[in-house]
């Protein structure tokens, strides 16, 4: 499964600087699960999310203000991007933070790792791509792996709450996949910084509004340096640096190939959760991880075709038969 790409992007299957950036993105996001989990030990989910997303939006707008060599998006595109931001940085972040507050970091990372499966399904539903049987087999393995991971949560302390958290993370993954697919065309016409700032700002507006009572009640003087460090890493690192790398990946390589670098995320996340939080992975988690990785590899080696290209090929074959 690959998202619609420019001919230039499709002709560059090798490993390049964009791929290297996506590896770094995966490391940032993999570590972020443990950082967020640690931050939520003392800060409420709404406070933590409101602070980090607002911080990210401010930084992105400051950086975007220095971009002079490209024109701003049209008013229509700005409105569309803002609406998409409500999905990708509003709805997704709400599901993510409430899911993280209830489940393990490793469980969350494995559920999110199956995001390419949702992207494939949504791309197909929207008529963007045709995926061969090999690709759908990979999607099936990914979803089976997610089922193993979510099901294993029942055996943890506070099992039902952990399962609820995993379910919320899964719903967030669907929201993120929808955002990724709908955003892809704009990555070719809009500067990544403008795109990031606009979509982050609309999400931040919603999240800060919802978190306002918690932020007003917060004892700012009691927030420790470690808590600010967690908010800063989760805001600047995960939502600025990693997002910019993500948007570049979507623009150059397509949404699906970019999402495939999520293969590294659960490995990093499980390792750091084990080291930082003492979350020892279970056999069901490891089985789920193996299924998800196998499914991702299978999907990655399946060559999807844009629906428009497929229709043209079918039309051509009919005409020449």
């Amino acid at each position: 499964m690959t998202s619609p790409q420019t001919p230039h992007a499709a002709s560059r299957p090798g490993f390049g600087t964009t791929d290297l950036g996506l590896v770094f993105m995966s490391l940032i996001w993999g570590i972020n699960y443990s950082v967020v989990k640690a931050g939520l030990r003392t800060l409420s989910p709404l406070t933590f999310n409101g602070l980090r997303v607002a911080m990210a939006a401010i930084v992105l707008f400051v950086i975007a203000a220095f971009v002079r060599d490209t024109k701003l998006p049209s008013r229509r595109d700005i409105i569309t991007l803002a609406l998409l931001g409500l999905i990708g940085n509003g709805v997704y972040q709400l599901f993510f933070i409430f899911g993280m507050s209830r489940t393990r970091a490793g469980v969350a990372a494995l559920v999110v790792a199956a995001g390419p499966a949702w992207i494939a399904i949504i791309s197909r539903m929207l008529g963007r791509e045709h995926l061969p049987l090999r690709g759908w087999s990979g999607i099936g393995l990914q979803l089976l792996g997610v089922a193993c991971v979510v099901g294993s949560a029942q055996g943890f302390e506070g099992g039902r709450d952990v399962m609820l958290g995993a379910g919320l993370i899964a719903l967030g993954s669907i929201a993120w996949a929808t955002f990724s697919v709908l955003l892809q065309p704009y990555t070719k016409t809009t500067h990544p910084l403008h795109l990031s700032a606009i979509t982050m700002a609309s999400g931040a507006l919603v999240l800060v509004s919802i978190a306002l009572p918690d932020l007003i009640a917060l004892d700012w003087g009691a927030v420790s340096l470690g808590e600010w460090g967690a908010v800063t890493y989760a805001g600047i690192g995960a939502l600025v640096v990693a997002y910019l790398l993500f948007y570049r990946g979507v623009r150059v390589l397509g949404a699906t190939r970019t999402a495939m670098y999520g293969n590294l995320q659960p490995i990093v996340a499980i390792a750091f959760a084990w080291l930082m939080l003492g979350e020892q992975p279970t056999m069901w988690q490891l089985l789920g991880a193996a299924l998800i990785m196998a499914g991702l590899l299978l999907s990655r080696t399946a060559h999807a075709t844009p629906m428009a290209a497929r229709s043209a090929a079918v039309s051509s074959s009919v005409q020449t038969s």
Side-chain angles (χ1 to χ4, degrees):
M1 172 200 64
T2 54
S3 293
Q5 301 175 3
T6 62
H8 178 65
S11 64
R12 295 180 56 200
F15 190 91
T17 56
T18 300
D19 298 84
L20 186 62
L22 292 175
V23 171
F24 185 50
M25 172 202 76
S26 295
L27 291 175
I28 294 174
W29 278 342
I31 296 171
N32 189 55
Y33 291 96
S34 293
V35 173
V36 171
K37 194 68 179 175
L40 291 176
R41 288 174 173 172
T42 51
L43 294 174
S44 74
L46 290 177
T47 296
F48 188 90
N49 228 23
L51 288 174
R52 78 182 187 114
V53 176
M55 182 184 293
I58 292 170
V59 171
L60 284 169
F61 265 104
V62 170
I63 297 174
F66 291 94
V67 178
R68 304 292 187 184
D69 57 342
T70 58
K71 66 177 183 179
L72 291 172
S74 66
R75 180 177 299 179
R76 180 176 180 179
D77 284 352
I78 290 175
I79 293 173
T80 302
L81 289 171
L83 291 175
L84 289 177
L86 296 179
I87 300 173
N89 294 309
V91 175
Y92 165 69
Q93 290 295 347
L94 283 174
F95 280 129
F96 175 80
I97 204 68
F98 281 115
M100 283 296 299
S101 68
R102 289 171 168 80
T103 197
R104 288 185 166 198
V107 169
L110 287 171
V111 173
V112 170
W118 299 117
I119 290 178
I121 292 170
I122 293 169
S123 293
R124 184 66 181 85
M125 289 173 61
L126 295 178
R128 297 283 183 89
E129 295 175 342
H130 171 77
L131 194 66
L133 179 60
R134 184 186 185 90
W136 287 112
S137 299
I139 289 173
L141 286 176
Q142 292 173 59
L143 296 181
L144 181 59
V146 169
C148 289
V149 172
V150 174
S152 72
Q154 182 65 39
F156 299 143
E157 183 180 352
R160 289 192 175 181
D161 204 38
V162 175
M163 287 186 69
L164 173 61
L168 291 173
I169 295 291
L171 290 174
S173 293
I174 295 173
W176 176 260
T178 303
F179 170 68
S180 298
V181 173
L182 295 178
L183 185 73
Q184 203 271 339
Y186 295 94
T187 64
K188 301 182 185 302
T189 58
T190 306
H191 193 284
L193 279 170
H194 293 155
L195 187 150
S196 302
I198 295 168
T199 55
M200 190 66 68
S202 61
L205 182 63
V206 172
L207 294 174
V208 172
S209 299
I210 295 173
L212 197 57
D214 284 19
L215 292 172
I216 292 174
L218 179 65
D219 182 359
W220 293 87
V223 180
S224 69
L225 186 61
E227 291 166 344
W228 279 118
V231 170
T232 302
Y233 182 94
I236 307 303
L239 297 183
V240 176
V241 177
Y243 267 38
L244 290 177
L245 293 172
F246 167 81
Y247 290 135
R248 174 175 171 79
V250 172
R251 179 169 59 87
V252 177
L253 304 178
T256 302
R257 185 172 170 184
T258 298
M260 291 304 170
Y261 280 90
N263 291 17
L264 296 175
Q265 268 193 73
I267 299 172
V268 175
I270 290 173
F272 269 82
W274 195 348
L275 292 172
M276 292 177 60
L277 308 175
E279 294 185 1
Q280 187 171 354
T282 67
M283 288 302 298
W284 280 105
Q285 271 186 278
L286 295 176
L287 174 61
L291 290 171
I292 291 170
M293 298 303 166
L296 287 168
L297 180 61
L298 201 59
S299 296
R300 176 66 183 88
T301 56
H303 299 286
T305 56
M307 293 298 287
R310 178 176 169 80
S311 298
V314 170
S315 176
S316 176
S317 66
V318 170
Q319 292 172 5
T320 57
S321 60

